[in-house]
Amino acid sequence: MPFSLLAPRPRRFCIEPKTPLDFAVEVANLVVQFGDFKAVNNVSFKVFKGEIFGFLGANGAGKTTTIRVLCGLLIPTQGHASVAGISYDDITNTDRIKDKVGYMSQKFTLYNDLTVEENLSFTASLRKIPATTFEKRKQELLNFISFNKPIKTMVKDLPGGMKQQVSLAASILHDPEIIFLDEPTAGVTSASREKFWDLIKKLARQGKTIFVTSHYMDEVEQCDRIALMRAGELIAIDSPSGLKRSTFPKPLYELYPQRNITFAEAESLREGHFFESFEAYGQRYHASPISEAHWNDFKNKYASDFTIRAITPTLEDVFIRLVEGNDR
Amino acid sequence: MKISRAFAIAEKEVFHVMRDPFTLAMALLLPMMMVMIFGFAIEFNVKNIHLALYDGDKTAASRKVAETLASSHYFIISPTDSPQKAIAQIFAEKDRAALIINRNFEYNLFAGQGAHAQLVLDGSDNSTVGSIIGYFSTIQKLSYEKITKEKIPYMINLKTRFLYNPELNSRWFIVPGLMVVVIAVLSTLLTSLTIAREYENGSMELLLSTPIRPIEIILGKLAPYVILGFGSVTFVYIMARGFFEVPFRGSHLVFYGGCFIFLTTCLAQGLLISTTIRKQQMSMQVAMTTALLPSILLSGFIFPVESMPLFFRILTAILPARWFMEVSRDVFLKGSGVYELRYSFFVLSVICILMVVASIKKFKRDVEA
């Protein structure tokens, strides 16, 4: 794992909001319903200007649906949403918002049979960017993503990671304030993921607000704040360290079995009276005891069966505890 | 509405078409193939019919009959030496028909007792049988005149003349009808792919996240196919005039006007399919079925609408292909103008407007919700 991704990062400054205008995104009691199915159920949150906001949840939790509402692609069933201080309540505002928002969707959205230049120039025409501005902006962005191939290369001939970067360039061609990235690094190599996140952080340093979803915990760790979605509902929103603290107020231990632990034994430990949480991680277990007394009790009984190591919880622990744990 | 955005879409669409071998091949080869297949292979005047002949009389009269048959150039005659063998030729599928001339044919003819000959036909092929019987009534008359050297006195003298197509040339009938098939298939098929492609790639999201209007997407998407459609119409037109020597008696303006209305209807139909189905493969199949079948089978292209059962005759009224078929053929062969074709033009326009409105509404509802 690349070092820079794991190293703890000093919390970047965020403008502390004073007026509603300082919120990049405001969502209040948002409901999106498809037939009987509530894809998004009464969700409210705020995103500060200039922060990297991570949006987390299993597939079908309602992440993409929320993003599509915020990008003006979907009209919500109920509730309010405003982006860059402009409200979607008035439908005629949609175009003004679209000018301030860049969207890179989950599906790869460039045209494979067009060259890099044609793709960018097509997006520029749709956005009505003047030719001179476009030329300047194009160079800027190609430098930004350090694009080193001929600009007349067909998109289909680019490696996956570079496609993603060109796609990012296309979605920020009009220099938007807020950038929505829906799983931007799905299916690319870890080196490309690292580079992509460097770009994201660079954009954030330029004052852009980044709204990003991801399945990779190491990526999410780099967000300023994280919102967790489960089955259409928002279940937690905090900074990564805050989430870890609130989810695991008690110490967390890794238990490495020294003999074969049967499934029944593991279940009895989970059901038993020692732990608040007891989750399998491959061959190991992550366990959080109910109290110091419980922990000592457990150690007396099982000390010889496990190698025990105190660990700091990762976001994966948080995710499993909050999102998957509750479904069991 | 910003025309520049529609233009950007159109330009991109042209890139797609130029770079996709399938679309390009479709646009260029389909009209060519249709003209080749329908222009050359379909021939309503059946020729080269294999006929077994048994001449049991072997007289001057019976030989005159055989001579008349041979000189008609419709038949390939194989003589046999017994009636049984002649019939066996049909069973063996070597011949389509057998003519058996009985002994005493000449004697009976001159004795005024009526000369007997028997025609046995392979009834499994209706269309050939119809033609053979038609030819034989003429051959019967001609050989009588040759044998007796006298004209048959007619009680009613019927002189037949075919207006618009004096020689009843099949190609004059088929090639203007080809316009309908080519436009229907090409434009419905190509547009059925265009929106589905955007959905399938996920690039529709990219389009919709910009301030573009649905109407700009539609106009931009369709414009290249309108030009492509007119290109193929002109190709078929040139083939019709230059190669098949079909006369063009009407006005080009009326003809191209009709083409435009029909083309627009087909494009809208393709768009509707594409927006509804959103998958290229499936859209293409639906487009093929809904465009190809009606334009070939129910438009009057080959089978006349008048002789269809009542249900189908009513059904054809809502098919634009049927109305444009009338326009194309009548402008080509009869030289009809807008006034003569007012009903066809009226119905065609109504269907066109309905189709366009339906497809735009469907698309707008899909992208705005």
Side-chain angles (χ1 to χ4, degrees):
Chain A
M1 193 52 61
F3 174 74
S4 68
L5 286 184
L6 290 177
R9 196 162 54 90
R11 201 167 136 69
R12 224 165 29 76
F13 92 104
C14 285
I15 304 159
E16 277 305 314
K18 294 177 192 73
T19 67
L21 268 175
D22 289 332
F23 291 114
V25 175
E26 275 184 277
V27 173
N29 308 105
L30 188 75
V31 177
V32 180
Q33 203 161 344
F34 300 115
D36 284 340
F37 172 66
K38 278 191 175 161
V40 176
N41 191 1
N42 201 24
V43 165
S44 307
F45 63 87
K46 286 171 181 168
V47 178
F48 306 142
K49 264 192 181 170
E51 74 175 332
I52 302 180
F53 187 81
F55 213 44
L56 221 63
N59 285 329
K63 292 170 296 178
T64 301
T65 309
T66 309
I67 290 187
R68 297 190 75 227
V69 169
L70 295 175
C71 291
L73 299 176
L74 197 64
I75 297 170
T77 317
Q78 272 173 46
H80 308 282
S82 53
V83 173
I86 311 169
S87 170
Y88 273 113
D89 289 354
D90 181 357
I91 208 128
T92 55
N93 282 340
T94 306
D95 278 358
R96 273 171 63 214
I97 302 179
K98 281 181 176 175
D99 279 337
K100 299 191 181 234
V101 162
Y103 175 43
M104 185 177 154
S105 90
Q106 205 170 2
K107 278 186 166 178
F108 180 67
T109 51
L110 297 179
Y111 296 95
N112 273 317
D113 55 344
L114 263 55
T115 66
V116 172
E117 181 165 43
E118 284 162 353
N119 264 295
L120 292 177
S121 119
F122 174 62
T123 314
S125 315
L126 295 186
R127 297 269 184 198
K128 295 189 69 61
I129 299 173
T132 47
T133 321
F134 169 62
E135 280 307 316
K136 201 170 137 251
R137 188 77 186 135
K138 183 175 78 185
Q139 277 318 316
E140 243 173 63
L141 287 172
L142 291 176
N143 290 338
F144 174 68
I145 63 172
S146 41
F147 187 79
N148 55 9
K149 300 219 169 194
I151 193 165
K152 293 211 183 326
T153 313
M154 288 280 175
V155 165
K156 62 168 173 264
D157 297 330
L158 295 177
M162 200 174 273
K163 279 187 192 180
Q164 234 86 0
Q165 289 154 25
V166 174
S167 193
L168 175 71
S171 61
I172 59 175
L173 202 59
H174 57 300
D175 200 15
E177 290 173 23
I178 303 153
I179 303 159
F180 290 90
L181 305 169
D182 197 0
E183 292 191 25
T185 53
V188 302
T189 63
S190 61
S192 301
R193 291 205 286 127
E194 191 189 358
K195 189 185 167 202
F196 198 91
W197 270 84
D198 284 343
L199 296 177
I200 290 181
K201 283 182 272 184
K202 250 194 236 174
L203 286 169
R205 273 198 295 277
Q206 292 167 14
K208 309 286 181 206
T209 308
I210 315 282
F211 192 115
V212 60
T213 74
S214 174
H215 276 316
Y216 298 104
M217 294 301 155
D218 56 326
E219 293 184 354
V220 177
E221 199 91 42
Q222 305 178 65
C223 296
D224 295 307
R225 285 196 310 146
I226 299 166
L228 248 109
M229 295 272 292
R230 185 168 63 93
E233 289 177 25
L234 192 76
I235 52 172
I237 179 164
D238 204 343
S239 64
S241 54
L243 272 181
K244 290 173 194 167
R245 266 197 310 275
S246 58
T247 317
F248 295 98
K250 314 226 169 80
L252 186 70
Y253 297 96
E254 183 189 72
L255 310 178
Y256 188 63
Q258 293 303 296
R259 60 172 178 85
N260 271 337
I261 302 291
T262 63
F263 184 71
E265 274 178 296
E267 275 306 297
S268 82
L269 280 173
R270 188 204 311 285
E271 304 287 316
H273 308 292
F274 305 114
F275 301 111
E276 259 181 359
S277 74
F278 183 87
E279 306 292 347
Y281 278 75
Q283 289 187 326
R284 297 152 205 250
Y285 300 92
H286 286 190
S288 178
I290 297 170
S291 72
E292 191 71 35
H294 287 89
W295 179 236
N296 289 330
D297 214 12
F298 169 80
K299 277 202 290 193
N300 288 337
K301 282 187 183 163
Y302 292 94
S304 60
D305 293 338
F306 296 99
T307 312
I308 297 167
R309 190 163 68 94
I311 53 169
T312 46
T314 63
L315 274 180
E316 194 157 359
D317 292 310
V318 174
F319 188 78
I320 288 175
R321 179 106 173 88
L322 292 180
V323 175
E324 293 176 5
N326 291 13
D327 286 338
R328 280 182 181 146
Chain B
M1 227 293 287
K2 292 283 193 304
I3 206 72
S4 65
R5 282 197 294 243
F7 186 77
I9 299 264
E11 188 191 36
K12 175 188 76 81
E13 206 60 29
V14 171
F15 286 144
H16 286 319
V17 173
M18 301 299 286
R19 284 167 198 177
D20 177 24
F22 173 76
T23 315
L24 204 59
M26 205 66 167
L28 297 177
L29 293 181
L30 194 91
M32 229 178 270
M33 299 249 298
M34 292 251 178
V35 169
M36 298 295 264
I37 294 171
F38 288 103
F40 289 110
I42 293 195
E43 173 63 86
F44 293 135
N45 304 328
V46 186
K47 281 182 185 164
N48 300 331
I49 304 158
H50 288 264
L51 177 90
L53 176 69
Y54 168 67
D55 184 356
D57 197 34
K58 297 201 169 58
T59 54
S62 69
R63 272 191 296 272
K64 277 264 166 23
V65 174
E67 219 172 81
T68 318
L69 273 176
S71 63
S72 74
H73 298 300
Y74 288 129
F75 298 98
I76 297 172
I77 297 165
S78 46
T80 52
D81 50 17
S82 78
Q84 288 75 16
K85 277 189 185 161
I87 306 285
Q89 288 284 88
I90 298 180
F91 289 141
E93 293 191 4
K94 283 181 182 149
D95 288 317
R96 286 278 182 197
L99 180 67
I100 296 155
I101 299 174
N102 290 342
R103 194 190 301 240
N104 300 333
F105 179 80
E106 189 183 60
Y107 176 83
N108 286 342
L109 180 72
F110 288 110
Q113 291 172 356
H116 291 288
Q118 190 185 13
L119 181 63
V120 183
L121 295 161
D122 174 359
S124 64
D125 180 353
N126 279 17
S127 61
T128 318
V129 167
S131 309
I132 298 175
I133 292 188
Y135 300 147
F136 259 90
S137 73
T138 313
I139 285 164
Q140 191 183 357
K141 196 186 98 195
L142 283 177
S143 33
Y144 180 84
E145 287 173 1
K146 277 191 190 165
I147 297 164
T148 60
K149 309 253 175 2
E150 60 184 67
K151 288 259 177 195
I152 298 174
Y154 284 106
M155 299 302 287
I156 299 168
N157 195 350
L158 195 64
K159 280 194 175 162
T160 316
R161 200 163 79 85
F162 300 106
L163 295 175
Y164 310 125
N165 189 356
E167 291 167 20
L168 278 191
N169 186 332
S170 321
R171 266 144 212 159
W172 286 23
F173 177 71
I174 285 293
V175 177
L178 257 184
M179 293 284 176
V180 182
V181 183
V182 168
I183 295 181
V185 174
L186 196 67
S187 23
T188 316
L189 197 67
L190 292 183
T191 43
S192 74
L193 298 174
T194 136
I195 296 281
R197 180 165 43 211
E198 302 276 353
Y199 277 116
E200 226 172 74
N201 287 349
S203 43
M204 190 55 97
E205 296 280 282
L206 173 88
L207 293 184
L208 297 179
S209 69
T210 70
I212 195 161
R213 299 260 164 284
I215 188 76
E216 293 162 359
I217 299 182
I218 290 183
L219 284 181
K221 283 264 165 193
L222 294 193
Y225 297 104
V226 171
I227 294 167
L228 212 58
F230 273 114
S232 55
V233 163
T234 307
F235 169 74
V236 180
Y237 173 84
I238 291 170
M239 289 300 281
R241 300 285 310 270
F243 199 78
F244 294 107
E245 298 179 332
V246 182
F248 185 87
R249 301 196 173 106
S251 133
H252 287 95
L253 195 67
V254 175
F255 177 69
Y256 273 95
C259 284
F260 180 75
I261 303 176
F262 183 59
L263 188 66
T264 312
T265 317
C266 293
L267 292 174
Q269 184 185 339
L271 199 66
L272 192 63
I273 295 170
S274 201
T275 330
T276 313
I277 295 174
R278 297 188 180 191
K279 291 272 175 295
Q280 293 192 69
Q281 205 70 36
M282 180 82 177
S283 295
M284 202 169 89
Q285 285 163 3
V286 173
M288 260 308 196
T289 322
T290 58
L292 192 65
L293 292 185
S295 65
I296 289 188
L297 298 179
L298 296 175
S299 65
F301 178 50
I302 295 174
F303 310 108
V305 174
E306 292 75 19
S307 47
M308 287 177 192
L310 184 67
F311 170 75
F312 284 100
R313 239 182 305 156
I314 294 169
L315 181 70
T316 59
I318 60 163
L319 297 176
R322 176 243 159 111
W323 299 105
F324 181 61
M325 183 65 72
E326 290 191 6
V327 171
S328 182
R329 275 196 183 135
D330 288 4
V331 173
F332 256 94
L333 299 181
K334 292 191 194 171
S336 307
V338 178
Y339 182 75
E340 289 87 349
L341 288 165
R342 60 192 178 280
Y343 293 118
S344 305
F345 266 109
F346 175 72
V347 181
L348 199 56
S349 307
V350 170
I351 299 174
C352 176
I353 291 167
L354 289 179
M355 197 66 105
V356 168
V357 169
S359 63
I360 291 180
K361 272 212 159 144
K362 169 82 185 137
F363 183 65
K364 279 187 83 165
R365 200 172 53 231
D366 274 28
V367 300
E368 280 177 356

